[in-house]
Amino acid sequence: MSAPKSSDAYLSNSDTVRCLVCGDVKGQFSVLFKRVNSLQKKGGKFEVLMCVGDFFGSNHAAWEDYTSGRLKVPISTLILGPNKKEHVQYYESKDGQEMCENVTYLGSRGCYTGSSGLKIAYLSGIEAQQQTQDAWQFTKDDILTLTGPVASDNNYRGIDVLLTSQWPQSVQKYATPSQICQFVVKVLGRNYLNSNADFNMMFADVDQMEATCTSLLVGEVARLLQPRYHFCGLNGIFYERQPYRNHQIFAESGIHVTRFIGLAAVGNLNKDKFLYAFSIKPLSHITTEEQSKQPLDATESPYKPLSTPGSNRDDLSQGTQFFYDMHGGDTVKAGKRHSESGGNVNKKRKQVQPPGPCWFCLGSPDVEKHLVVSVGMQVVPVPQDVAMDLKECFLDMAQNISIELHEIPTHSDLSQIVPAGAPYFYAELPCGAKLLHRISSKFPLQFAREALAQPAVLDLPHRVDWRNCATTEAEATLMATTFKEAFQQYDFSL
């Protein structure tokens, strides 16, 4: 494939590359390039324009104006391959080609590195839904070819830009409620939120849309390649997600976040954003410290590993758990241990049984169900005038008894930080802070009660031990009923 033409190939004096990315052009070349010229006239030259989604439309004559030389493309432009049968005619090869002066087709899949060091990975087409593969589709084999070199490279640092026409499935997962609402408005229409549809129906409709318009394989590509920016088209809407992390908190060293941007089509009637401008300093020009900086609104990654063979990163993402082989004293992976003959024998781990009756487990016959007012998280109300001081109270108490409390990022998913089955203490505070202690030895069961009972909070030192709070069943039932009635309007479980 011939290299795209541009002055100094995307490189400016400050090592910062000024880029434009466009959604579906659909053959509206004059509209797009007029807009590009306007932006460059106002704000200065951009080094490259990258296009995702359908580049061509139904008007073949519009493209002939550029292939014949009657009209000129004003900027070095990179495009993806076809997403439908009728557009295959424009492409001569899957390996990439120069379409006309200043327009380069990257190819069906691969990575391109400019002389500036800017790394661009690309995947053309849409996911094949059957075993047969058409010219505008990709399969798992394409994904393995694209991501295979990354899986075995321990020095891999990620890429700068990922271009795919199709959206990844579940990209909105872990976003804030406002971002979820923005996504629903874009996908299902603004009137949908004003309808009588409940949240279960809303997410069912979003899931149905995702099943036909998104791809699990694209999510796997994004998870493994770890781009700093990921751009998509085809869905006809603009959606910019909060950045998400590409590492597991407390388990892996911090690296850059990914920013996902879905772009609308050129000239769309809703006037959604179809052209996105950004400046980026290539990974090859930044330090590890710069790369690991995390924005405050970063969330967990929305993608789960797929069971694709040959990927070492899948094992890392699952979070390896260990136990000790009592025969040989070696540490081995959970679920397997060495037999005396040296072979691996799969054995089920014996479930630990509680030493006595549990008054707090809903499944226990000893639980006092007349005290249950709602089934969810344990919640303790505190006066508003002390709510903002709770964090300091928890941290001071933890320090006094030599317990380490970690403050984890606001948009973290606890299941990705703490391995399944591992003991932990976790508290969400009114100030938005999330505190976590991973229990590895003895931990005071009354820690939270004691912190809340301090004079600076509830000033109830005599109620630290729950056994001192016993009342008659009639009194407890009356208090539970009274609280349940007052709490009903806030009860999310109803």
Side-chain angles (χ1 to χ4, degrees):
M1 182 183 75
S2 59
K5 300 175 182 178
S6 68
S7 60
D8 204 14
Y10 316 155
L11 188 62
S12 63
N13 294 333
S14 62
D15 290 344
T16 298
V17 184
R18 300 186 71 228
C19 306
L20 288 172
V21 185
C22 181
D24 303 70
V25 181
K26 294 187 175 181
Q28 299 198 64
F29 310 116
S30 60
V31 176
L32 169 61
F33 296 135
K34 182 179 179 180
R35 177 65 176 151
V36 170
N37 280 331
S38 175
L39 287 175
Q40 294 198 120
K41 186 176 180 180
K42 292 179 181 177
K45 184 180 172 72
F46 288 89
E47 282 74 21
V48 64
L49 167 65
M50 296 170 272
C51 298
V52 293
D54 291 329
F55 185 72
F56 295 102
S58 57
N59 184 2
H60 189 76
W63 178 237
E64 288 181 343
D65 286 337
Y66 293 91
T67 56
S68 66
R70 288 192 296 270
L71 295 177
K72 300 291 185 182
V73 177
I75 185 173
S76 177
T77 303
L78 307 178
I79 70 171
L80 298 179
N83 303 296
K84 55 184 67 172
K85 182 178 180 179
E86 50 266 39
H87 292 165
V88 175
Q89 60 177 313
Y90 294 99
Y91 300 85
E92 297 176 0
S93 169
K94 280 192 169 185
D95 299 326
Q97 66 188 84
E98 187 172 358
M99 308 293 285
C100 72
E101 185 179 359
N102 260 355
V103 176
T104 299
Y105 162 46
L106 288 168
S108 59
R109 50 170 160 72
C111 291
Y112 174 81
T113 304
S115 61
S116 66
L118 188 72
K119 293 183 179 180
I120 302 171
Y122 52 90
L123 178 66
S124 296
I126 61 175
E127 182 178 342
Q129 299 301 314
Q130 300 176 349
Q131 291 184 348
T132 57
Q133 180 183 5
D134 291 310
W136 61 92
Q137 296 176 327
F138 59 82
T139 65
K140 279 189 177 181
D141 290 338
D142 294 300
I143 304 309
L144 289 173
T145 301
L146 180 58
T147 63
V150 170
S152 57
D153 185 359
N154 293 326
N155 297 317
Y156 182 72
R157 293 184 65 194
I159 56 172
D160 294 303
V161 178
L162 172 62
L163 304 176
T164 65
S165 287
Q166 199 167 22
W167 283 40
Q169 195 168 116
S170 303
V171 68
Q172 77 282 0
K173 187 178 181 182
Y174 301 133
T176 59
S178 61
Q179 283 244 313
I180 293 290
C181 287
Q182 178 195 353
F183 180 80
V184 171
V185 166
K186 296 286 187 180
V187 172
L188 301 177
R190 186 172 300 278
N191 292 334
Y192 195 95
L193 291 182
N194 299 326
S195 68
N196 293 325
D198 60 20
F199 277 96
N200 290 330
M201 184 184 299
M202 177 180 73
F203 285 111
D205 288 343
V206 170
D207 289 342
Q208 183 178 2
M209 182 281 300
E210 283 204 315
T212 57
C213 301
T214 64
S215 166
L216 279 172
L217 293 182
V218 170
E220 182 72 348
V221 170
R223 185 185 72 84
L224 291 172
L225 295 187
Q226 301 173 342
R228 295 164 70 193
Y229 284 88
H230 181 186
F231 295 95
C232 299
L234 290 185
N235 281 358
I237 61 173
F238 172 74
Y239 175 68
E240 184 169 9
R241 190 198 187 280
Q242 291 166 268
Y244 64 82
R245 284 182 288 275
N246 286 299
H247 69 280
Q248 291 181 301
I249 300 174
F250 302 141
E252 297 173 313
S253 300
I255 60 172
H256 60 267
V257 297
T258 295
R259 302 176 188 276
F260 172 85
I261 297 100
L263 291 165
V266 173
N268 66 90
L269 297 178
N270 293 327
K271 296 185 178 180
D272 266 2
K273 192 170 187 175
F274 64 83
L275 197 58
Y276 189 94
F278 70 106
S279 296
I280 184 171
K281 193 174 184 180
L283 275 171
S284 57
H285 291 276
I286 64 176
T287 64
T288 303
E289 184 180 358
E290 288 178 297
Q291 181 184 1
S292 61
K293 290 180 179 178
Q294 303 287 301
L296 294 177
D297 61 341
T299 75
E300 296 298 320
S301 170
Y303 312 124
K304 292 183 178 179
L306 297 184
S307 55
T308 52
S311 173
N312 295 333
R313 292 182 184 272
D314 286 355
D315 295 334
L316 290 174
S317 300
Q318 295 292 352
T320 307
Q321 299 180 33
F322 296 88
F323 66 93
Y324 288 93
D325 183 344
M326 301 306 292
H327 292 280
D330 294 327
T331 303
V332 296
K333 283 188 178 180
K336 294 183 180 179
R337 68 182 178 96
H338 294 284
S339 66
E340 293 181 0
S341 60
N344 285 336
V345 180
N346 290 328
K347 289 192 175 182
K348 292 185 177 179
R349 298 180 68 182
K350 185 177 180 181
Q351 296 293 324
V352 179
Q353 300 297 325
C358 177
W359 288 275
F360 304 105
C361 301
L362 291 178
S364 170
D366 300 293
V367 68
E368 296 181 323
K369 293 184 178 180
H370 64 280
L371 294 177
V372 177
V373 296
S374 179
V375 180
M377 225 176 122
Q378 295 186 44
V379 180
V380 179
V382 295
Q384 288 186 349
D385 58 344
V386 300
M388 295 299 107
D389 299 326
L390 280 179
K391 177 181 173 182
E392 185 177 353
C393 291
F394 271 91
L395 294 176
D396 286 347
M397 183 175 169
Q399 186 176 10
N400 291 338
I401 57 177
S402 300
I403 288 178
E404 190 173 9
L405 278 181
H406 295 280
E407 184 172 359
I408 63 177
T410 305
H411 303 293
S412 300
D413 177 24
L414 199 59
S415 65
Q416 294 198 13
I417 301 175
V418 181
Y424 64 92
F425 169 80
Y426 173 73
E428 291 185 4
L429 306 180
C431 64
K434 295 181 176 181
L435 303 180
L436 173 68
H437 172 72
R438 298 177 68 168
I439 300 173
S440 58
S441 58
K442 292 183 179 180
F443 182 81
L445 293 179
Q446 309 298 330
F447 176 77
R449 292 182 65 98
E450 189 170 347
L452 292 170
Q454 292 182 80
V457 187
L458 297 179
D459 195 18
L460 297 170
H462 58 288
R463 298 182 72 88
V464 170
D465 191 334
W466 63 270
R467 289 169 294 191
N468 295 333
C469 304
T471 60
T472 65
E473 183 172 337
E475 291 173 325
T477 301
L478 177 60
M479 286 189 288
T481 303
T482 302
F483 181 84
K484 188 174 183 179
E485 291 174 354
F487 182 68
Q488 186 172 8
Q489 61 176 316
Y490 307 104
D491 193 345
F492 61 88
S493 66
L494 296 178

